[in-house]
Amino acid sequence: MSAHRFEPPPELRPLIARVDAVARESGMSVYAVGGTVRDILLGRRLRDLDVAVSGDALSFARRLASSLDAHFVELDDENGVARIVLPHADAPLHHIDVAALRGTLEDDLRRRDFTIDAMAAPLTGGELLDPMRGADDLSAGGVRMTSAAAFEADPLRLLRGARVACELRFEVEPETAHEVRRRAADLRASAAERQRDELAHMLALPDAHGGLRLLDRLGLLDVLLPELATGRGVSQPPDYHAFDVFEHNMRAVEAMDLILDGADPARAWIPDTVWGAFRGREEELRAYLGEELSEGRRRAALLKLASLLHDAGKPATRTVDADGRIRFFGHADAGARTARAVMRRLRFSAREVEFVGVLVEQHLRPVQLAQVGQAPSKRALYRFARALGDALPAVL
């Protein structure tokens, strides 16, 4: 147990009071759980609220949605999980997730994945219930499994743990890391859509490259994106490249992290050495990068995914001339086919598949518009812009 106390931030108290009132009218107890407790203890801004109730969670969520003039979404009828989407632009949160307690509150917490998400407290504030000593791991900056059985119950947790560590800039505790590596292949048993969501969330973080490196160290990257693994050890022309294809793709994401300066497009910056032509159009560019293409996934994160996959076609197209010169004829087209196949497998939307596919397919085109030392013609620029459409800034 823990002597820590949970106090909701002032800006959420009016909303929390309404949630608590509906719970009392329903004869239920309502608790803040999981990521909500963790993020409030860390002083992080909340985007949603996770609550658990002692009773029929779906009927409670319907009443709460009606009280808040919000939209009710049933997520899991069997386990009693629902989402309430708050409709107002000035609402302090985007949504509230409601779940039914499985057994007692302590039983429910012990079934969760990581100790830092296995804490709860009365929603209106009070003493923290922390049977797995998650507050200690929170202070130490560590992601620790509640038990190895957590991964058996849901293999996606293998991926989620790495994403949480990257998001919080925490370390995965050694015993947990060992268990993840041992079970990495089990990730294939999780739904493709859920894998997609975790990957997209990681790519939206300021240090997506660091997250991908963590996935690689944990043995998860080759399971999630086996198309990248084919680039390991595939050498490139030494006059132009210092790394093999795999490392080159990874470093492209690192460079994109630096160029975008984080996941929030409002903080995006474009160095003069890269896009001096956009001087004076920064707000337009931020809006472009921040546009949602599907289900909250923004162009900025998909741009990083295109960077990761941009040379995925090289291993299959590598040739060596009689004089030892290494070439990759047609690798952009081959890479685009691979990128589209990856994204379809992970259930990205058709719009996202096409956006990333075009970026990979056309990533060489800007340097092929004219001979070295010459400016491209207006006709070449016109054709380039017409072919790329709204992908043009991202390709550049």
Side-chain angles (χ1 to χ4, degrees):
M1 300 298 175
S2 170
H4 291 82
R5 286 187 62 79
F6 169 86
E7 296 295 339
E11 65 271 16
L12 292 185
R13 288 173 187 165
L15 176 62
I16 282 175
R18 295 184 66 180
V19 176
D20 185 62
V22 173
R24 290 177 183 275
E25 292 168 4
S26 304
M28 298 181 183
S29 298
V30 58
Y31 302 94
V33 294
T36 291
V37 176
R38 177 198 71 207
D39 287 348
I40 286 177
L41 292 178
L42 288 174
R44 302 178 78 221
R45 181 185 175 194
L46 292 185
R47 296 181 179 178
D48 51 63
L49 188 67
D50 294 327
V51 302
V53 296
S54 57
D56 187 338
L58 297 183
S59 64
F60 167 77
R62 287 190 179 93
R63 287 192 292 271
L64 181 59
S66 177
S67 172
L68 296 173
D69 192 25
H71 183 56
F72 169 87
V73 180
E74 185 177 296
L75 298 180
D76 185 342
D77 175 54
E78 183 178 349
N79 293 302
V81 182
R83 173 166 293 172
I84 299 163
V85 180
L86 303 177
H88 307 297
D90 58 350
L93 300 170
H94 179 262
H95 62 262
I96 302 171
D97 283 345
V98 180
L101 287 175
R102 296 173 294 171
T104 67
L105 179 56
E106 183 168 333
D107 289 340
D108 186 274
L109 296 178
R110 289 184 180 277
R111 290 192 185 98
R112 291 178 178 255
D113 47 9
F114 302 102
T115 62
I116 58 175
D117 287 332
M119 298 179 285
L123 182 60
T124 55
E127 185 174 349
L128 194 68
L129 181 64
D130 183 15
M132 308 302 293
R133 303 188 66 85
D136 292 341
D137 287 324
L138 207 60
S139 298
V143 175
R144 181 191 304 272
M145 61 187 176
T146 55
S147 71
F151 298 134
E152 295 177 9
D154 183 0
L156 187 82
R157 290 169 168 176
L158 299 161
L159 184 56
R160 183 179 182 274
R163 191 265 299 167
V164 169
C166 180
E167 182 174 356
L168 300 179
R169 298 184 184 274
F170 280 15
E171 296 291 330
V172 179
E173 176 268 334
E175 185 178 350
T176 302
H178 172 77
E179 191 65 19
V180 170
R181 280 191 289 269
R182 191 175 74 83
R183 296 175 178 268
D186 295 348
L187 179 62
R188 297 189 183 97
S190 61
E193 294 88 347
R194 299 178 70 207
Q195 296 178 36
R196 173 202 64 202
D197 290 346
E198 290 295 342
L199 175 62
H201 196 151
M202 180 174 284
L203 290 169
L205 296 173
D207 185 20
H209 169 257
L212 293 170
R213 292 290 186 189
L214 177 58
L215 293 183
D216 194 29
R217 293 195 298 274
L218 294 174
L220 294 169
L221 188 60
D222 287 358
V223 178
L224 179 65
L225 296 171
E227 295 83 358
L228 283 179
T230 61
R232 296 182 189 272
V234 177
S235 62
Q236 304 189 84
D239 291 345
Y240 304 103
H241 292 282
F243 307 110
D244 67 12
V245 172
F246 174 84
E247 184 67 15
H248 174 72
N249 283 326
M250 295 286 278
R251 300 250 179 169
V253 179
E254 181 180 33
M256 196 60 69
D257 281 339
L258 294 172
I259 291 171
L260 295 179
D261 192 25
D264 182 357
R267 295 187 295 129
W269 60 273
I270 305 301
D272 288 346
T273 53
V274 177
W275 273 353
F278 276 90
R279 189 180 293 107
R281 299 178 64 183
E282 291 85 358
E283 291 303 319
E284 180 183 349
L285 186 58
R286 289 184 184 115
Y288 172 82
L289 292 170
E291 181 185 355
E292 293 184 5
L293 295 192
S294 182
E295 300 179 5
R297 295 184 290 275
R298 302 176 187 273
R299 286 191 194 273
L302 294 167
L303 183 52
K304 294 183 186 182
L305 181 55
S307 300
L308 182 64
L309 298 172
H310 82 280
D311 273 351
K314 279 186 170 179
T317 58
R318 185 180 185 273
T319 61
V320 182
D321 291 348
D323 60 2
R325 185 177 182 184
I326 299 171
R327 295 176 181 270
F328 299 101
F329 290 119
H331 80 269
D333 290 338
R337 290 192 294 271
T338 297
R340 289 185 172 105
V342 168
M343 296 189 71
R344 291 189 186 105
R345 186 183 74 241
L346 292 176
R347 305 292 193 268
F348 282 90
S349 70
R351 188 181 182 194
E352 293 169 303
V353 171
E354 185 57 23
F355 178 68
V356 171
V358 167
L359 299 194
V360 175
E361 188 175 72
Q362 301 289 338
H363 77 270
L364 293 175
R365 193 164 175 182
V367 296
Q368 296 173 338
L369 291 172
Q371 297 296 320
V372 175
Q374 296 180 5
S377 68
K378 289 184 178 179
R379 179 184 294 272
L381 291 173
Y382 171 75
R383 289 176 174 171
F384 177 53
R386 183 179 61 182
L388 271 296
D390 68 355
L392 177 61
V395 169
L396 291 173

